[in-house]
Each structure stands twice: as structure tokens, then as C-alpha cells.
């Protein structure tokens, strides 16, 4: 499928995306019921394996080619002092990713995942969204295209992560535009600002919504006006995976905000995604609640980079190893309950 | 260290066991603070890596040789109908472990762990503990010795699991003897009994305590009078690991009850152990609360076999991969916060 060139084409691609085959799903459920364990004894692992198998069209699925995509972008609002780190750190961390020194490098390697880093116009930060839209139509579509085209069609699992100083504030503004509430419902410590920093973030979010009235309740306008290039790229990659039936593990708050744009655009657009973890950012739980997704892990991470989602690959691998590798009661000669 | 021959020798071995070197721990903490991430951004993974490194005596530890030990035993109380499965299933599942068909086989393989299965006198169930002690002194020490001697001194991480029809009732009786409360505080659905089955388990636990007054508040008597051979073997293996500074990931309710015996015997006996997961068995959370251990995973598992702990190996691996593999701010040329 060709890369969407405008909002209409992205919307149409998601609306036309097919769902898993019900017969495959039923076959995976049947197999699950025959495995040598009491019914339901593997808890959430059972649901995960069935969900994954259904999306891949395999009753006994395997994970052979997970992909981790890291997008990076710079934000005009970083100049407002919303982060504990200076904006230069975005490019420095991209170099760290390239040299294998970041957390996501270690976690991708552990998961056997192909990882690539996609800095997007770092020398051209988005506009300060308290003064008007962060991006033009052309800029947001270009960033969406970076994500869309970065997805390897041969991969069988996708994690998207990000780096972008200031981007928890961008995520908060998007979430506020999508779900309403108060600005402070959606802001938190990010990489480590203090109470005054959180209050500043809430003010910046409020100013952002005031400066971009077209963003309220319009998910793609929220992405354009309040997002960043890396946020748009994540949305593009998750959308491409939906169309291609590549299951996705969502990462932290920023990734989840990017994903939420798609679900608000077309209900069911995230049926191919599970929540990898709940981060320490309070608003992450709130947005996951809106999406109806229960996180697999809850370990107090607040790093981004796809780190929590990459760690959660191991949980999914465990689920699938059991589902596809265990003997049935009949095969093992074990008496059922 | 030679295998303890009686309760006094086991107690003495635990009381004499050494703690991690404070300088190594401080070195691991220092390294953690220098890694290219905001302080605390890896949440619980940071604590895990430091804990593991301290126990292994390495500032930058690795996991190279995890071991999974599965013990199996039969229980006299199974004849009371406390399980949804017949007692023959213990031996059938041992055969399934041997042939590689169980959940723990898949999860051990995924974790790169050496796994072995140790059935203990399956043809000789413990005595029905509602009629008196489940085991003699000689029997419980023999089972403890099986666990003690099964630990590979060259391993660097230990998971112990179990199979034994009726053993959630045994675990409930031990927990009740250790911590008091009401019998129903400690019983649950096990492998899948109904409400009447849970009520029966509570009655059996109450009868067990009444028939074995010496078990109340005496942890090793609780293990002997109310435990099973596989439960005693798990306690023996966890004790051996404590002495040898091999970190342990605890599994579900039965494993945790076996471990709790040691902590009640000598405070700090479980400092080398983390809780791998909280199972769906309600009393598991209660006993973890008594031990002050927060589970790494909460996925509704209720299988035993070491399954949840083996899955949690992957979380620990992730923690250590980040801790030992990431670049420092100085190495990467990234500006600190």
C-alpha cells in the first residue's frame, strides 16, 4: 500500500484495514484449551498468544522478526524550559543510539530485534505551539511518511520509540485535545522536572490549546498543531502496521499519545496493539484507560526510547513459546481436570 | 558447604550466611547514576540490577547460567479431594516435563536456563496431615537435601518450581502456621476448584493445624508437619542458594510458602530473592506482603512449575543488560540533566 499523501488518505487506509480472520482466532483458542495446564492457568499469556496468532493468521505463531523503530525530533516548546534537559540532548542521544550505548540498544538486542534510528529534521525544530500550529500540513505528512515507510513489511512485531526533548509536553497537549479534562490531568515529571516544572508544563499545554482551537476533538489536527515530528512518525508507523497486520507493543506516554490519535480517528485502529507497560508518568495510566488497554508491565519506567515496550517483547515471546510449544493433554497422556 | 543433616544444621547455615559486599553495591549504584538516562528513569530495573550485582559481587554483572529446578511430590491430603485433578497427574506431568511438553520447558528454553526435574518418592505420598505430621524428621530432611544438592554451584540465578496435586492446600496450611489469621485467608482456587472446593480446603487446613499443634509458629515444624516433599526440596534449594550467593526468583504461592519458612527461621534468609510474579491465588499477595516483596509481574498466572519466575528471568535480564551494557554520560558525550 502506498504512503498516504494527506489526512484523507491516512483516514481511508485505516478505515479500510482488515481485521484478523475469525477462524484462525477460533483455532488458536481451541489449541489453548487443549494444552497441558488447567484452563486459564497461564492468565494473560493465553490471551496474548491468541491475539498475536489471530493477527498473524497462525494458530501456532512464532516471533521471528521483531522490529524496533526509534524516531527523534526537536520541539519549539523546548525553549520554554519544559524539560530537565537542554534541546541538544536529542541529537546527542541519537548519536548514543547509533553507537549502541542507550537502554533501547541493550533491550533490542536482548529481544533479538532489528533496531533503527530515524532522526527527523533535528536542525529544524517544530514551531512553539503556544504561538500557533507546531507543523504545516506538509511537515506533518512528511513525518508520518517517515514512520510509514520505516516499517519493514517482513517484520512480525513492531515497537516504536522516541527521543525528543520537550515531547512529554507535546504528548500532554495532544491528550488534552483528544480527551479534554484539565491541562494538569495530562502533565507530569517527564524526565525529571520538579513541581514548578510540572506547573509550567500545564500552562504551556493550556496555551497550546488556546492557540490551536482546531486541535480540540480533531485528532489529526491535534497531531499537526501540538505534536512533533517523532510523534507523527510513530503514528505513521503504527498505522502502517495496522494495515499490514503487524502487531504492535506500545511504549510509554508519548508513544501512547501518538497511537491514541489513530484510535480517535478510526475506532479499532489500535486493535493490533497491546500496552507494553504503564510508565511512572501518571497521565499514561489515564490515556491507557481511555484506550481500554491494560499494561503488561508496571515497573516505574519513564525513559521512552521504546524501552518498556522492548522489554515487554519478552513477555509476548513467553506467551507464544507456551502456546506454540506446549504438548496437548492427548499428546502428553495427561488426565484432564 | 555440606548438606544439613538436621534442623539445627540448616538453621546454623542460614544464620551464618554472608551478605553482599557493601563496596560492590556502592559501585553498582555509582555506575547506575552515570548511565545515559535521567536519574531513576529505568524504575525498578535499576534496583534489580544493583541487587543482582551486589549478590554476585560484580559492579557490571551478567547472567550466564540460570538454573530452573522442578521438584515433584505426592500429598496424602490429595485423597481428601482438595484438587480439581487426580493424584496421578503429578507423575504424568513429570513425564511431560521430561519430554519437554510443559509450560516450564518452553519458558526455561526461552530464558536460556538449564532445567532439571526431581520427582521425590512419588509412590510414597506424604501422610494426610489432618491425621498427624505429613513427614517424619528423616523424610523432611531427605527432601530438603534433594533441593540443597540439586543447586548447581556454577549457576548464577535460580528458579525453583513444583508439581504436586494438592500442594496449594499444603502451602495454605504452612502459611496459616507461619502467619496465623483464619484458614480461609490462605486458601484459593488452586488449579481450578469451585467455591465448595475452596471451603473444603479451608476445613482441611483447619484440621491440619489442629492435628499438628507443634507447627504453629515453628517454621521447620510447619514444613515437616504440613508440607510436602517438593515443598521441602524448594526450601532446601533456596537455602543453599542463600549460602552460595546465587540470586533467586520466587515463583507462585507454593514456592513462596516454602521460601517463607526460611525467612521465619532466620530474618534476611530471603534477601537474595525477588518475587517473580503475583499469581491469581489471592493468598499469594498476602504472603508476599508478609515478606515485603513486590512482584515483578502480575499477569494472572496460577500454574506453578516455576512458570512465572522463569518468565521473570527476562525482566532481570533486561535490567542487567541496561545496567551493564549502557554507555555513561561521559562515554557518550551526552549532557546531564
Amino acid at each position: 500500500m502506498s504512503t498516504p499523501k494527506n489526512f484523507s488518505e491516512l483516514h481511508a487506509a485505516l478505515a479500510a484495514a482488515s481485521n484478523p480472520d475469525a477462524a484462525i482466532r477460533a483455532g488458536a483458542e481451541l489449541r489453548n484449551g487443549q494444552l497441558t495446564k488447567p484452563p486459564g492457568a497461564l492468565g494473560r499469556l493465553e490471551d496474548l498468544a491468541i491475539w498475536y496468532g489471530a493477527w498473524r493468521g497462525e494458530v501456532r505463531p512464532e516471533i521471528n522478526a521483531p522490529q524496533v523503530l526509534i524516531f527523534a525530533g526537536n520541539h519549539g516548546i523546548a525553549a520554554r524550559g519544559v524539560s530537565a534537559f537542554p534541546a541538544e540532548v536529542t541529537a546527542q542521544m541519537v548519536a548514543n543510539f547509533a553507537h549502541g550505548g542507550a537502554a533501547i540498544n541493550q533491550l533490542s538486542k536482548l529481544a533479538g530485534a532489528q533496531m533503527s534510528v530515524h532522526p527527523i529534521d533535528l536542525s529544524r525544530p517544530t514551531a512553539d505551539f503556544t504561538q500557533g500550529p507546531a507543523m504545516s500540513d506538509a511537515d506533518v505528512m512528511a513525518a508520518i511518511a517517515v514512520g510509514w515507510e520505516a516499517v519493514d513489511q517482513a517484520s512480525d512485531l513492531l515497537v516504536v520509540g522516541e527521543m525528543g526533548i520537550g515531547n512529554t509536553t507535546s504528548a500532554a497537549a495532544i491528550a488534552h485535545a483528544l480527551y479534554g479534562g484539565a491541562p494538569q490531568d495530562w502533565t507530569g515529571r517527564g524526565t525529571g522536572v520538579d513541581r514548578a516544572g510540572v506547573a509550567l508544563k500545564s500552562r504551556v499545554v493550556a496555551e497550546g490549546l488556546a492557540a490551536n482551537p482546531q486541535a480540540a476533538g480533531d485528532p489529526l489536527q491535534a497531531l499537526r498543531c501540538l505534536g512533533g515530528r517523532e510523534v507523527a512518525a510513530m503514528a505513521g508507523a503504527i498505522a502502517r502496521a495496522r494495515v499490514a497486520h503487524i502487531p504492535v507493543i506500545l511504549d510509554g506516554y508519548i508513544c501512547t499519545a501518538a497511537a491514541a490519535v489513530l484510535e480517535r480517528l478510526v475506532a479499532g485502529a489500535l486493535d493490533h496493539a497491546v500496552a507494553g507497560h504503564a510508565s511512572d508518568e501518571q497521565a499514561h495510566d489515564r490515556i491507557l484507560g481511555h484506550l481500554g488497554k491494560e499494561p503488561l508491565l508496571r515497573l516505574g519506567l519513564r525513559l521512552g526510547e521504546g524501552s518498556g515496550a522492548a522489554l515487554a517483547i519478552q513477555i509476548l515471546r513467553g506467551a507464544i513459546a507456551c502456546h506454540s510449544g506446549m504438548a496437548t493433554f492427548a499428546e502428553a497422556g495427561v488426565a484432564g481436570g
Side-chain angles (χ1 to χ4, degrees), chain A residues 71-75 85-99 102 117-125 162-166 230:
Chain A
F71 303 104
N74 273 322
H75 291 258
F85 288 82
E88 304 86 79
V89 166
T90 301
Q92 290 166 351
M93 282 300 297
V94 165
N96 195 26
F97 297 142
H99 293 112
V117 186
H118 304 262
I120 314 174
D121 282 347
L122 294 191
S123 61
R124 209 160 59 89
E162 43 55 48
M163 180 68 220
I165 296 298
E230 81 284 29

Side-chain angles (χ1 to χ4, degrees), chain A residues 18-34:
Chain A
S18 65
N19 289 319
D21 187 296
I24 297 286
R25 186 183 169 85
E29 285 173 345
L30 184 66
R31 174 172 172 78
N32 177 59
Q34 296 169 335

Side-chain angles (χ1 to χ4, degrees), chain A residues 234-235 238 250 254-264 269-270 273 291:
Chain A
M234 285 193 285
I238 295 167
L250 299 177
I254 300 139
C255 174
T256 307
V261 165
L262 304 178
E263 183 70 26
R264 287 291 270 181
L270 295 184
L291 294 173

Side-chain angles (χ1 to χ4, degrees), chain A residues 78-117:
Chain A
R80 295 286 302 269
V82 290
S83 174
F85 288 82
E88 304 86 79
V89 166
T90 301
Q92 290 166 351
M93 282 300 297
V94 165
N96 195 26
F97 297 142
H99 293 112
I104 189 61
N105 296 97
Q106 322 314 318
L107 294 169
S108 295
K109 188 174 165 190
L110 186 67
Q114 167 200 334
M115 176 192 147
S116 58
V117 186

